[in-house]
Amino acid sequence: MSASEKTKRPVRWHIAVFLAPAVLVYTAIMILPLFGTLQLSLFREVDQQQVFVGFDNFRILFGDPRWSDSFWNALFNNTWFFIIHMLVQNPLGILFAALLSSPKLRFSVFYRTAIFVPTILSFVIVGFAWKLILSPLWGIAPDMLSAVGLKSLFAPWLGKTEYALTTLSLISVWQFIGIPMMLIYAALLSIPDEVLEAAECDGITGMSQFWKIKLPLILPSIGIISILTFVGNFNAFDLIYTTQGALAGPNYATDILGTFLYRTFFGFQLQVGDPNMGSTIASVMFLIILAGVSIYLFGIQTRLRRYQF
Amino acid sequence: MAKATHSVSRSLAAHAILAAYTVIALFPVVVIIINSFKSRKAIFRSPLSLPDEETFSLIGYETVLAQGDFFLYFQNSLIVTVASLFFVLLFGAMAAFALSEYRFRGNSLMGLYLALGIMIPIRLGTVAILKLMVASELVNTLTALILVYTAQGLPLAIFILSEFMRQLSADLKDAGRIDGLSEYRIFLRLVLPLVRPAMATVAVFTMIPIWNDLWFPLILASAEETKTITLGAQVFIGQFVTNWNAVLSALSLAILPVLVLYVIFSRQLIRGITAGAVK
């Protein structure tokens, strides 16, 4: 009844007052700069003048060997970074959540907090701690492996081109596993008891209860987690920057789009910063993320059945 | 009986898996903290043992605190985080209230517009944000960071809070209107106190990335007097790369505050997520 009453009032200023601060800040600091970046990618600086060049910067990024080698390398690495997260982080997160949500499990608050702790740490701490542990010099990892007679397994995982990226992905998984765990945990808790009791009456218990009843019910949450992982991974920067530096060593083996963008925009050592190419890379990242999100929204989410209790 | 033993072995297995991973999760943190209390020799000789009478040393903390800037960095981080959090929660709740309470033309379009930012990271606009901040002479001020983080936090805050506000009963608000409360008072007196659990969820998810962010402080506020603790610790590690005591103490000091903040909010966190939008 309030709605129909309100529509008769002439101007409801309070709606504007409630919306204005958020919309203004969000538009000015987020949306406009995003379009500003897209726009910058279409220009190039010639004699200190911005000249419109259309999609030329993109052509250079994809085609000119000086740029494209780095770009495809970064894109490939970023994809691998994402694949490791999907294969390791999310299944493990679901497993932990499933274990934590079983009724009458003791110490569950303790486990939950402990597993979530790395998520709240800054990348500076995470990067440095793992550098220390894996360092052949400081040597906690070599010592621990030799204590169990596996010293031969040790390698400078962060220093070798063939292992570095996978090692960093696993460190990132270690850091962020708390998020899928929490979200799935919450989703499992919100399954009503009646549904589970009905399943038990039908003799579906234990593992088969998880696969047949709970998993289908938490599929939308798994979808959300996957898309959050995708966006987070294709926007990652800090971990690589703090452990391997802006050069994403060894020999660019850990270069992802974020570090590539940073180097291009701000320059490093002998390379001069280039805002226009930086914007071009940011625009490509924007398009990749937009494509991923659209595929999720229109391709996957609409097909997931949502259950209302 | 068979079922009982079965469930005992199942719960033992569950404990084994969770405890094993807990060790992995906490190991690096524990290593850093215990070694920050040890003398330099002991760090290298036995990095995994607890400090005892012989090896206990506070030399690292003394070095860090004598350096002095740490308090300034800490203060900067606190100001930026608290101010951004305040604006995100206030502006976010206001917008969420407007979207969930009133029917007006363009309501769902506005909701979609504000939700875009959940998926698209604000970092991609960095190039233009820097230009904007240079033009408005906000580079190397904390204001620049607060503005950016407020914008960054708003979409998720509005999304979660409006889902919550939709669940509130209309009777209470209508009773307030009959008693002659203005819309602003209904928002402040009736609605805000009721969505407190959701506010805690939003607070945790907003606060952690702000406190830990390296990207924007590096780009927008890298001057000595505006460094945040994350950036400060990063620089500090570079400076003292051979002084393990100082580095480990600096890291321990950087871990503490965010741990405390998390513990304060964590109780509400699960409740917030469970009742919230991400079902």
Side-chain angles (χ1 to χ4, degrees):
Chain A
M1 69 134 220
S2 59
S4 62
E5 222 174 53
K6 261 181 275 154
T7 41
K8 286 177 200 155
R9 279 183 230 163
V11 186
R12 290 172 293 161
W13 283 109
H14 51 269
I15 298 181
V17 173
F18 280 129
L19 276 173
V23 173
L24 286 178
V25 173
Y26 173 75
T27 308
I29 314 286
M30 192 149 182
I31 299 297
L32 291 180
L34 221 50
F35 281 103
T37 303
L38 294 179
Q39 192 195 355
L40 262 181
S41 70
L42 301 177
F43 287 80
R44 188 180 303 151
E45 194 165 298
V46 180
D47 302 329
Q48 295 179 330
Q49 290 276 311
Q50 290 282 333
V51 181
F52 182 80
V53 291
F55 290 104
D56 223 28
N57 290 333
F58 290 89
R59 215 168 294 138
I60 291 173
L61 185 67
F62 297 136
D64 185 339
R66 275 178 308 158
W67 286 97
S68 66
D69 288 355
S70 311
F71 171 74
W72 294 115
N73 174 47
L75 184 62
F76 175 79
N77 287 342
N78 220 153
T79 310
W80 180 241
F81 195 70
F82 171 62
I83 290 172
I84 297 252
H85 278 80
M86 288 301 280
L87 290 182
V88 183
Q89 172 186 281
N90 297 346
L92 272 184
I94 295 169
L95 171 73
F96 294 151
L99 293 176
L100 283 175
S101 70
S102 58
K104 288 182 266 170
L105 182 91
R106 299 176 71 193
F107 313 122
S108 68
V109 176
F110 168 74
Y111 290 135
R112 210 173 63 208
T113 311
I115 295 172
F116 200 71
V117 159
T119 309
I120 65 175
L121 300 180
S122 79
F123 291 96
V124 176
I125 296 169
V126 169
F128 197 75
W130 280 101
K131 244 163 79 178
L132 284 184
I133 290 170
L134 297 177
S135 139
L137 190 90
W138 206 56
I140 290 185
D143 280 355
M144 279 170 59
L145 282 175
S146 65
V148 288
L150 290 173
K151 179 89 199 252
S152 58
L153 279 183
F154 182 78
W157 283 301
L158 281 173
K160 287 232 169 139
T161 43
E162 59 266 47
Y163 305 129
L165 182 64
T166 309
T167 311
L168 279 167
S169 316
L170 290 174
I171 294 175
S172 170
V173 166
W174 170 83
Q175 186 179 8
F176 288 118
I177 199 160
I179 292 175
M181 182 192 73
M182 284 288 196
L183 295 180
I184 295 289
Y185 178 71
L188 286 170
L189 285 191
S190 63
I191 297 176
D193 289 337
E194 298 89 68
V195 175
L196 299 180
E197 275 162 22
E200 263 158 40
C201 287
D202 292 341
I204 307 174
T205 54
M207 285 297 271
S208 66
Q209 190 184 63
F210 178 79
W211 292 112
K212 287 186 185 151
I213 311 287
K214 290 181 183 166
L215 195 64
L217 290 176
I218 59 170
L219 274 183
S221 298
I222 294 177
I224 289 177
I225 287 164
S226 310
I227 194 67
L228 287 179
T229 311
F230 177 80
V231 175
N233 284 171
F234 277 88
N235 182 39
F237 159 77
D238 309 58
L239 182 67
I240 315 268
Y241 180 77
T242 49
T243 42
Q244 311 292 64
L247 284 172
N251 194 21
Y252 301 114
T254 56
D255 199 20
I256 57 170
L257 292 171
T259 44
F260 184 45
L261 165 65
Y262 179 84
R263 280 204 317 276
T264 308
F265 181 41
F266 292 99
F268 68 103
Q269 292 175 0
L270 296 176
Q271 182 181 334
V272 202
D274 184 341
N276 294 108
M277 280 315 274
S279 304
T280 309
I281 296 169
S283 303
V284 172
M285 289 166 75
F286 177 83
L287 293 177
I288 291 174
I289 292 175
L290 200 67
V293 171
S294 312
I295 290 171
Y296 166 74
L297 283 181
F298 300 113
I300 298 172
Q301 203 194 27
T302 48
R303 276 181 215 177
L304 288 177
R305 211 175 296 166
R306 278 176 175 272
Y307 296 89
Q308 285 289 328
F309 301 121
Chain B
M1 189 60 214
K3 201 182 167 190
T5 45
H6 183 62
S7 79
V8 166
S9 65
R10 272 236 323 261
S11 98
L12 271 181
H15 277 289
I17 295 173
L18 288 169
Y21 193 80
T22 300
V23 172
I24 298 175
L26 294 182
F27 177 69
V29 182
V30 172
V31 166
I32 286 185
I33 293 176
I34 62 174
N35 282 296
S36 72
F37 289 104
K38 291 202 295 208
S39 67
R40 188 182 160 80
K41 263 189 196 159
I43 295 177
F44 284 97
R45 199 163 0 108
S46 48
L48 289 176
S49 62
L50 287 171
D52 56 27
E53 273 173 37
E54 198 188 324
T55 58
F56 181 80
S57 162
L58 286 176
I59 180 77
Y61 288 94
E62 282 159 21
T63 316
V64 172
L65 298 181
Q67 197 74 6
D69 295 341
F70 229 75
F71 288 109
L72 179 68
Y73 301 158
F74 187 80
Q75 194 189 331
N76 287 337
S77 271
L78 207 63
I79 292 173
V80 168
T81 309
V82 170
S84 315
L85 203 55
F86 174 78
F87 289 125
V88 167
L89 288 177
L90 178 69
F91 296 168
M94 284 164 62
F97 183 68
L99 289 176
S100 64
E101 180 67 16
Y102 307 115
R103 279 198 229 160
F104 56 93
R105 211 189 297 162
N107 180 320
S108 53
L109 205 64
M110 182 63 88
L112 197 67
Y113 174 70
L114 290 168
L116 270 182
I118 299 174
M119 294 301 183
I120 305 299
I122 192 169
R123 269 185 199 180
L124 297 180
T126 304
V127 181
I129 290 177
L130 182 62
K131 283 193 152 191
L132 178 76
M133 293 301 172
V134 170
S136 49
E137 295 184 356
L138 285 172
V139 172
N140 283 327
T141 62
L142 296 179
T143 315
L145 291 180
I146 294 172
L147 279 172
V148 168
Y149 293 142
T150 306
Q152 170 186 289
L154 277 171
L156 190 69
I158 294 172
F159 185 68
I160 295 181
L161 291 175
S162 59
E163 288 281 317
F164 257 85
M165 287 179 183
R166 278 196 195 105
Q167 294 168 11
L168 298 180
S169 103
D171 295 348
L172 190 66
K173 286 170 277 187
D174 289 337
R177 290 198 179 97
I178 291 167
D179 285 347
L181 291 183
S182 71
E183 296 298 320
Y184 304 107
R185 288 200 166 210
I186 287 173
F187 170 69
L188 285 173
R189 295 276 173 78
L190 296 179
V191 174
L192 271 192
L194 286 174
V195 293
R196 228 183 285 157
M199 300 278 251
T201 310
V202 174
V204 173
F205 281 124
T206 311
M207 175 183 78
I208 295 170
I210 296 177
W211 182 273
N212 289 336
D213 190 37
L214 185 62
W215 177 268
F216 283 112
L218 196 65
I219 289 160
L220 293 179
S222 55
E224 191 54 30
E225 64 272 21
T226 51
K227 266 191 194 128
T228 59
I229 198 161
T230 309
L231 184 58
Q234 163 80 9
V235 173
F236 202 78
I237 288 171
Q239 260 171 27
F240 285 87
V241 79
T242 48
N243 189 343
W244 296 118
N245 291 100
V247 167
L248 292 170
S249 309
L251 292 178
S252 303
L253 286 176
I255 292 174
L256 257 185
V258 67
L259 209 60
V260 171
L261 285 174
Y262 172 71
V263 170
I264 294 173
F265 285 111
S266 65
R267 260 206 202 161
Q268 303 268 16
L269 183 64
I270 282 288
R271 226 193 321 157
I273 309 176
T274 322
V278 275
K279 263 184 213 163

